[in-house]
Amino acid sequence: MDFESCPAVLLGPVLKALAEPNRLRILCTLGTECRPVTDIIHATDLPQTNVSFHLRILREAGLVRAERRGAFIYYCLPDPELLAILQSLQLWVAAHASLANTQDSEDISNESVSITERRANSCG
């Protein structure tokens, strides 16, 4: 696999942009509609400067596009499939988180037994 096709090179900047919870909130707020910054501010309860900062990062990562409509700039997802990808990722994480929690509970139970057994054995 060559360097340019490595997932880290291709996905790294996008995943870094998505790692910030407020940016995910902005993307979910946009949904499949184009919205002006004021709508995004009201929907997320973030300050205007914060929303503008995050929109710039999302735009640079290719996750939103800007459209000028008169005096206003509207932000949209470049492709509605992005929402489907985020929803699929959310379902995957939720499914694996529940499996991980189940596994962690089993591990804790096994550790408790092991600790109890060790104490019983060490006490003689």
Side-chain angles (χ1 to χ4, degrees):
M1 176 182 288
D2 63 355
F3 182 74
E4 286 78 25
S5 64
C6 175
V9 173
L10 295 172
L11 295 176
V14 171
L15 292 175
K16 184 176 179 181
L18 292 174
E20 214 297 326
N22 288 324
R23 292 184 201 133
L24 286 170
R25 287 174 57 203
I26 290 170
L27 290 175
C28 292
T29 297
L30 289 175
T32 57
E33 299 177 25
C34 292
R35 295 177 180 247
V37 176
T38 53
D39 283 4
I40 298 168
I41 291 167
H42 292 288
T44 60
D45 288 325
L46 294 170
Q48 184 273 328
T49 54
N50 203 342
V51 169
S52 295
F53 171 76
H54 290 304
L55 284 170
R56 181 181 55 82
I57 291 171
L58 290 168
R59 191 177 62 246
E60 289 172 356
L63 296 169
V64 297
R65 63 182 167 82
E67 292 180 3
R68 181 167 290 282
R69 296 183 187 173
F72 298 97
I73 296 178
Y74 282 68
Y75 287 87
C76 315
L77 297 179
D79 185 341
E81 189 175 347
L82 178 58
L83 278 182
I85 291 167
L86 292 174
Q87 289 169 342
S88 293
L89 184 59
Q90 181 181 8
L91 291 172
W92 183 86
V93 168
H96 286 78
S98 64
L99 289 175
N101 290 338
T102 302
Q103 184 64 40
D104 288 346
S105 297
E106 290 173 8
D107 290 346
I108 290 169
S109 296
N110 291 338
E111 285 178 22
S112 299
V113 170
S114 300
I115 291 169
T116 305
E117 288 173 356
R118 277 186 261 143
R119 284 185 184 153
N121 292 336
S122 66
C123 293

